[in-house]
Amino acid sequence: MVLKLYVSQHLGGGGAIVAMVLAEKGIPYEPIFVDLDKKETKTPEFLAMHPFGQVPVIDDDGFILYESRAIGRYLAEKYADRGPALLPTGLQAKAIFEQAASVESSNFAPAFLKVVREALVKPRHGLPVDHAVIDETLVALAEKLDAYEAILDKQKFAAGNEFSLVDIFYLMYAPLLASRAGIDVMTKAERPNVTRWWNELIGRPAWVKLQAEGYN
Ligand SMILES: N[C@@H](CCC(=O)N[C@@H](CS)C(=O)NCC(=O)O)C(=O)O
């Protein structure tokens, strides 16, 4: 049975991470669109799959999994021999991978999410936007990106010299901010290494194709 991917009609965020892993690996899937505004993730049927009532969720022949990063790891391991190897092998390479994954989820994602909530989610629900929160968070993000500039001076990608799943994790929020709020934090002249890394990431054929399909 073809893998089912439950995603929002906006196609961004965690759904974009999972779609990118599937695209890089060339795995066929059926997208099932869920309307968040109509609370379709809060129905008893959906909550039986995802107790927190969110997307993305996959149904892999009856195996249900949620949380985009966990889904990415599962698919990367299941299809290790297809497409690029998105997970490292070897004790130290795995440790560096986990270090980079942790940096993304604890240092970057919360800050990105804060800006996404203010700049995109609140206006969509007609709520007042606190521009001070956006400005403060962008300053904090810039400081984190300065650290990334130093890291990416020594290595090509987030977890080393090979493209990996951690690079894909960064596609969760930054493209949404650039395309829908016009806030581009990743390509700045003062951070040439981050800019080089980001342009390489969003220039990957799999991502270009997904963007044409509406993911960002
Ligand atoms: N940590 C989760 C975040 C999932 C998430 O926040 N999904 C959003 C859409 S991108 C959602 O379903 N929001 C509806 C809600 O929380 O009620 C993941 O990576 O899968």
Side-chain angles (χ1 to χ4, degrees), residues 138-157:
L138 288 178
V139 170
L141 255 176
E143 282 168 13
K144 292 176 196 301
L145 285 166
D146 287 342
Y148 241 51
E149 178 63 15
I151 292 170
L152 291 165
D153 187 39
K154 298 190 184 69
Q155 62 193 48
K156 282 174 67 181
F157 293 99

Side-chain angles (χ1 to χ4, degrees), residues 52-65:
F52 300 95
Q54 294 185 319
V55 284
V57 176
I58 58 163
D59 177 347
D60 187 14
D61 208 8
F63 176 63
I64 306 294
L65 194 64

Side-chain angles (χ1 to χ4, degrees), residues 8 12-15 17 36 39 41-42 50 52-57 66-71 113 117 172-173 176:
S8 85
I17 292 187
L36 300 184
K39 307 258 179 250
T41 56
K42 310 298 179 193
H50 192 320
F52 300 95
Q54 294 185 319
V55 284
V57 176
Y66 55 87
E67 279 296 324
S68 53
R69 295 173 185 83
I71 299 170
L113 183 57
R117 285 212 172 110
M172 174 116 80
Y173 300 119
L176 278 176

Side-chain angles (χ1 to χ4, degrees), residues 79-213:
Y79 297 99
D81 54 350
R82 282 175 73 157
L86 297 177
L87 296 171
T89 52
L91 181 63
Q92 291 188 351
K94 279 186 191 164
I96 295 290
F97 174 91
E98 288 305 335
Q99 173 181 268
S102 197
V103 165
E104 186 278 328
S105 64
S106 54
N107 286 4
F108 282 91
F112 271 120
L113 183 57
K114 216 167 167 182
V115 184
V116 165
R117 285 212 172 110
E118 282 302 324
L120 291 174
V121 179
K122 280 190 171 179
R124 204 154 56 78
H125 292 102
L127 297 168
V129 174
D130 189 337
H131 291 279
V133 169
I134 298 180
D135 293 344
E136 279 162 25
T137 314
L138 288 178
V139 170
L141 255 176
E143 282 168 13
K144 292 176 196 301
L145 285 166
D146 287 342
Y148 241 51
E149 178 63 15
I151 292 170
L152 291 165
D153 187 39
K154 298 190 184 69
Q155 62 193 48
K156 282 174 67 181
F157 293 99
N161 278 320
E162 303 298 329
F163 172 67
S164 78
L165 189 57
V166 178
D167 298 296
I168 295 180
F169 291 165
Y170 281 89
L171 294 170
M172 174 116 80
Y173 300 119
L176 278 176
L177 281 178
S179 69
R180 298 193 203 162
I183 301 174
D184 173 14
V185 289
M186 303 306 255
T187 62
K188 297 275 181 223
E190 64 269 27
R191 289 188 209 97
N193 293 306
V194 173
T195 303
R196 183 251 317 139
W197 165 67
W198 191 249
N199 282 337
E200 186 162 341
L201 190 53
I202 61 172
R204 289 185 71 86
W207 184 248
V208 172
K209 185 168 171 289
L210 285 176
Q211 279 186 300
E213 291 168 12

